[in-house]
Amino acid sequence: MSGTLFLCATPIGNRGDITERVKETLSAADLIAAEDTRHSRGLLEHYGISKPLTSYHEHNKYEKAEELLGLLLEGKNIALITDAGTPAISDPGEVLVRRCHEAGVPVTSLPGPCALITALSLSGFPARRFVFEGFLPQETKERKAVLASLAGERRTIILYEAPHRLVKTLNQLQEVLGGRRICICRELTKIHEEAVWTTLPEAVRFWTENEPRGEYVLVLEGLSEEEAAAEDAARWSGISLTAHLQQYLDAGLDKKEAMKRMAEDRGVSRREIYQGLLEEEKG
Ligand code: SAM
């Protein structure tokens, strides 16, 4: 019988934010795998938990996942914690979780703090549909592609960022999202917790003049329905109605359905589409 991997969410700042079940699980585990063992030892001591610790971090995650998997297959119960929050969310946890699933080792996740959820709930921005991008990629081409994909995003957008990259990221976000509203959450649950509701240009101005310090979550409003409709209309105004129709016919739609979609795309009535097509036909 193999052991179980317990994903234990730990505080993102305030040490009061830990569940009873996480403390019990950490106390009962055979081994605790932690991102930074020195940091985690301090945290565990605070709760009176003394257990063997082993390091599992970004730079050893592939080899170490195999080693931990071996122990789990031998029947050891392992608790995984990271420096902050929920394991596997923008940290090395996901590699070990995936390997456990592949090897048929049971995994269970004990919910608790998570910076993105804390920031989203605080922002007041629409939370029914949101997209979490974690840290933007560092590689230029990949980063540009992700930024470009955010331009038409209607859902609330959440990003993580380190203080030394904050200004660069805000600048690049402004290039694609313009004057969009943003809620910048800093040092959540800590003494210097702060949430600022502003716009991207204002945020660039402020943090260029004031050195960013601490940990940040950026919550951005998605494109509003009106902005999205205006963008759609602008996009379609560049192509003729006949070409627009042909795109849908090529995709296999019948003429009636194609004209219905065209009317939606352009924000006009079906009658206008019909008459416009007739006029284009007449030349
Ligand atoms: N697993 C974590 C979670 O559940 O949120 C995230 C780990 S990720 C390596 C660390 C990033 O999360 C930080 O760079 C910051 O963007 C965000 N973060 C973590 N704690 C935070 C806090 N107290 N306030 C604001 N952001 C925080």
Side-chain angles (χ1 to χ4, degrees):
M1 276 279 283
S2 68
T4 296
L5 176 69
F6 295 89
L7 306 174
C8 294
T10 54
I12 57 170
N14 190 316
R15 287 182 166 182
D17 296 334
I18 191 156
T19 68
E20 283 304 317
R21 195 152 80 94
V22 163
K23 283 195 279 183
E24 282 162 18
T25 303
L26 290 170
S27 304
D30 296 308
L31 179 66
I32 298 175
E35 219 176 337
D36 174 344
T37 49
R38 239 184 53 182
H39 163 87
S40 294
R41 195 161 281 121
L43 187 79
L44 294 169
E45 266 171 24
H46 176 82
Y47 302 123
I49 299 168
S50 165
K51 279 280 155 181
L53 273 176
T54 189
S55 73
Y56 172 77
H57 50 68
E58 190 55 37
H59 305 292
N60 72 358
K61 62 185 178 188
Y62 295 109
E63 318 85 78
K64 196 61 187 240
E66 297 312 311
E67 188 186 319
L68 294 173
L69 192 58
L71 294 170
L72 286 156
L73 287 166
E74 281 170 21
K76 299 271 188 286
N77 286 320
I78 299 180
L80 177 66
I81 57 177
T82 49
D83 284 350
T86 301
I89 305 301
S90 290
D91 64 37
E94 67 174 80
V95 173
L96 179 59
V97 174
R98 195 164 48 242
R99 288 295 293 125
C100 285
H101 292 318
E102 285 163 2
V105 167
V107 181
T108 186
S109 181
L110 285 67
C114 182
L116 84 99
I117 298 297
T118 310
L120 175 64
S121 62
L122 180 61
S123 73
F125 290 165
R128 189 176 72 82
R129 295 175 74 225
F130 62 91
V131 53
F132 172 57
E133 287 288 348
F135 294 99
L136 286 176
Q138 287 311 302
E139 202 269 314
T140 311
K141 206 170 145 203
E142 218 186 319
R143 189 174 173 99
K144 272 194 177 157
V146 174
L147 282 163
S149 76
L150 295 180
E153 181 56 69
R154 294 179 194 202
R155 295 169 292 183
T156 297
I157 302 163
I158 306 167
L159 298 168
Y160 282 167
E161 196 46 284
H164 60 282
R165 295 203 203 96
L166 184 74
V167 173
K168 175 182 167 188
T169 296
L170 288 173
N171 263 306
Q172 292 177 334
L173 286 167
Q174 191 197 337
E175 278 167 27
V176 273
L177 304 177
R180 196 73 64 80
R181 285 213 307 151
I182 183 171
C183 170
I184 304 194
C185 298
R186 184 178 154 264
E187 297 288 86
L188 290 164
T189 78
K190 302 182 193 177
I191 298 171
H192 299 293
E193 169 173 308
E194 189 178 43
V196 178
W197 286 262
T198 181
T199 61
L200 277 168
E202 276 304 317
V204 168
R205 216 176 352 261
F206 181 83
W207 270 282
T208 304
E209 286 165 13
N210 300 275
E211 190 192 346
R213 292 216 179 105
E215 301 196 273
Y216 290 84
V217 183
L218 314 181
V219 188
L220 289 137
E221 265 189 340
L223 198 66
S224 71
E225 286 307 319
E226 299 79 54
E227 287 168 323
E231 281 206 358
D232 283 351
R235 186 166 65 245
W236 291 115
S237 69
I239 88 163
S240 71
L241 289 169
T242 314
H244 193 169
L245 174 69
Q246 196 57 47
Q247 281 186 14
Y248 280 128
L249 296 179
D250 291 346
L253 267 61
D254 64 30
K255 197 168 174 188
K256 191 171 165 217
E257 183 58 26
M259 285 180 17
K260 183 171 165 241
R261 296 270 190 98
M262 289 168 70
E264 284 165 7
D265 290 341
R266 292 174 184 251
V268 297
S269 70
R270 261 183 278 179
R271 194 181 148 78
E272 280 174 85
I273 296 291
Y274 180 74
Q275 283 180 338
L277 279 166
L278 280 181
E279 274 164 32
E280 279 187 16
E281 245 176 58
K282 281 189 216 150

